[in-house]
Amino acid sequence: GAGVSQSPSNKVTEKGKDVELRCDPISGHTALYWYRQRLGQGLEFLIYFQGNSAPDKSGLPSDRFSAERTGESVSTLTIQRTQQEDSAVYLCASSLGLREKLFFGSGTQLSVL
Amino acid sequence: SQQGEEDPQALSIQEGENATMNCSYKTSINNLQWYRQNSGRGLVHLILIRSNEREKHSGRLRVTLDTSKKSSSLLITASRAADTASYFCATDGGTSYGKLTFGQGTILTVHP
């Protein structure tokens, strides 16, 4: 596609429910990143995938968070048993490889009530 | 832990003036990147500077890197109201290969 696509753009959920966020990277991009951004804050690294290598999960804040990527295409970020502190914009980015510039999607605004 | 830290947190200038934002980091890096964000959603890449480079230009943007001081600066010359946005530096290095760590950002407001 022309750019990184994320869906949904907005998600409102109730505390305790599970949510799944989707990211479609730019075709041919081997690296894919997930970040979280709370209101007025910087980007918090969550996880990245690079080709067939094991993902770097060092930024996932708890075991309620998990992510998967199918080959070098779509990725899903799953948050189980959502909490109010999970409310944030979740940003996905892809790049041609590690240590290259990132192309960001427009993000998913998650609101946990 | 935070790698890049921007300074100042907020900057307000008039159109036509230059804007300078600074970024400091703690560990050795492979490269440093600057991004721009409008309205709290997707970021747009501006410039990437590698650790063996000292200065790069792109249009009205000039980025410098001083690895001895572990700092970088972004200069926007002849600013325009459309430059109003948040600007972030991001560093790639330290112990995590490929992990790009962002700072808290500088909010730039350019008044017409």
Side-chain angles (χ1 to χ4, degrees):
Chain A
V4 178
S5 177
Q6 291 189 246
S7 61
S9 57
N10 290 280
K11 176 72 177 177
V12 180
T13 190
E14 294 179 350
K15 179 181 173 182
K17 295 287 178 91
D18 297 352
V19 295
E20 192 172 277
L21 313 179
R22 178 188 170 104
C23 173
D24 280 278
I26 294 172
S27 178
H29 280 195
T30 63
L32 186 148
Y33 297 76
W34 284 98
Y35 288 88
R36 176 169 72 178
Q37 186 178 30
R38 292 197 168 101
L39 187 64
Q41 302 295 312
L43 276 68
E44 178 186 4
F45 169 80
L46 297 177
I47 185 170
Y48 80 74
F49 299 86
Q50 167 58 28
N52 295 319
S53 302
D56 181 337
K57 304 180 181 180
S58 61
L60 294 178
S62 76
D63 59 8
R64 296 187 297 105
F65 288 73
S66 63
E68 293 184 347
R69 186 180 187 193
T70 307
E72 293 186 354
S73 61
V74 171
S75 176
T76 55
L77 176 68
T78 301
I79 308 173
Q80 297 178 309
R81 305 181 301 281
T82 52
Q83 304 294 312
Q84 288 184 332
E85 62 262 28
D86 298 334
S87 295
V89 175
Y90 289 81
L91 291 161
C92 175
S94 69
S95 66
L96 283 170
L98 296 180
R99 299 187 161 173
E100 298 297 331
K101 65 180 182 181
L102 303 189
F103 294 80
F104 279 84
S106 296
T108 294
Q109 172 73 64
L110 175 66
S111 300
V112 182
L113 305 180
Chain B
S1 62
Q2 206 65 42
Q3 170 71 313
E5 295 288 345
E6 289 91 343
D7 169 61
Q9 292 185 333
L11 181 60
S12 182
I13 60 175
Q14 296 295 127
E15 255 190 340
E17 294 180 340
N18 295 341
T20 299
M21 288 159 271
N22 302 296
C23 171
S24 60
Y25 57 92
K26 297 174 183 172
T27 64
S28 63
I29 60 170
N30 177 267
N31 67 53
L32 184 145
Q33 302 182 41
W34 285 91
Y35 288 81
R36 166 192 167 128
Q37 183 179 42
N38 288 86
S39 305
R41 297 302 281 257
L43 280 75
V44 174
H45 179 267
L46 298 176
I47 286 184
L48 181 154
I49 186 165
R50 301 194 187 278
S51 60
N52 61 351
E53 298 175 311
R54 292 297 168 259
E55 188 170 311
K56 286 190 85 167
H57 296 81
S58 177
R60 294 183 296 112
L61 306 181
R62 173 180 166 240
V63 168
T64 61
L65 178 64
D66 187 334
T67 53
S68 66
K69 294 182 179 178
K70 292 187 171 56
S71 68
S72 173
S73 67
L74 169 67
L75 169 66
I76 304 173
T77 60
S79 63
R80 306 165 181 167
D83 294 329
T84 295
S86 293
Y87 292 82
F88 295 88
C89 70
T91 52
D92 171 7
T95 58
S96 298
Y97 181 88
K99 176 178 164 181
L100 199 59
T101 305
F102 285 78
Q104 294 295 306
T106 292
I107 301 171
L108 174 64
T109 304
V110 182
H111 300 281

